[in-house]
Amino acid sequence: MAPGELPGFLETLRLALRLNPSIYTALPGSTQGLTYAAAIVVLAGISESLGQSVVLFLNRVRFPRFFLALSITTLSHMAGYLLWTLTIWSVGNLLTDTYQPWSVVAVVVGLAYAPQILAFFELTPYLGNLIWGILSLWSMLAIVGALRFGWGMETWQALLVSGLGWGLIQAVRRTAGRPI
């Protein structure tokens, strides 16, 4: 990637999966970055839905219910992204001396969702929970790195801010998200 040049979507995805710090400094603040981040989050939500679709199919769920379940999973994934972004944006701006606009934080968090595109592997028998844990940790490391390089936070600040958001998402998924 040449200086000043923005990468294409697949290159952005590759750099985000590799936790390459250059992507977290190149794209935030650009319209293209926000578009790519939104696309990554949507693809991650669809991937999680596809992983769950096999279970729904095996249980012979009728099409309307099948479609509803997949839609709810995708939408809840995007709601989790918005919640994590909001948490990082609000707490991060309180902890640091530099103010970051919502759109910059949305790009950084969206890029860190890149590992979740592999969420369809969570259905793997006997390994699903392990794969979920690896993808979750991978995304957490991506967000910590993104906050360090894209926002200039110290490591402890990035861990605190991203950990708060991650914990909040897990709490919502295990309480309010359970009945859905």
Side-chain angles (χ1 to χ4, degrees):
M1 185 170 68
E5 180 182 320
L6 295 177
F9 179 73
L10 292 178
E11 180 66 9
T12 297
L13 188 57
R14 185 183 70 78
L15 292 170
L17 286 170
R18 289 184 170 193
L19 305 180
N20 188 318
S22 68
I23 198 65
Y24 299 112
T25 56
L27 286 179
S30 72
T31 306
Q32 184 177 356
L34 202 51
T35 303
Y36 286 176
I40 288 171
V41 172
V42 169
L43 287 173
I46 291 170
S47 177
E48 184 178 350
S49 294
L50 289 175
Q52 294 178 0
S53 70
V54 175
V55 172
L56 295 171
F57 181 73
L58 291 174
N59 287 324
R60 297 182 182 162
V61 173
R62 292 189 176 158
F63 182 75
R65 175 85 169 119
F66 182 85
F67 181 74
L68 179 65
L70 295 183
S71 299
I72 288 173
T73 299
T74 302
L75 290 173
S76 71
H77 192 83
M78 289 188 282
Y81 158 74
L82 291 173
L83 181 62
W84 207 351
T85 303
L86 177 64
T87 303
I88 289 172
W89 176 73
S90 57
V91 175
N93 279 321
L94 288 173
L95 277 179
T96 62
D97 295 335
T98 58
Y99 175 81
Q100 291 293 339
W102 168 266
S103 60
V104 169
V105 179
V107 170
V108 166
V109 175
L111 292 174
Y113 261 69
Q116 299 301 318
I117 288 178
L118 304 172
F120 61 89
F121 284 120
E122 291 176 14
L123 188 65
T124 306
Y126 307 111
L127 297 176
N129 286 335
L130 176 65
I131 292 171
W132 174 85
I134 290 169
L135 292 176
S136 184
L137 181 61
W138 192 355
S139 286
M140 179 70 155
L141 287 173
I143 288 184
V144 169
L147 293 175
R148 289 224 347 100
F149 296 108
W151 194 329
M153 286 185 177
E154 296 294 324
T155 303
W156 72 268
Q157 291 172 321
L159 281 168
L160 176 68
V161 171
S162 59
L164 283 172
W166 184 84
L168 189 58
I169 289 171
Q170 298 311 312
V172 168
R173 278 188 169 192
R174 287 171 177 37
T175 56
R178 180 84 62 203
I180 295 174

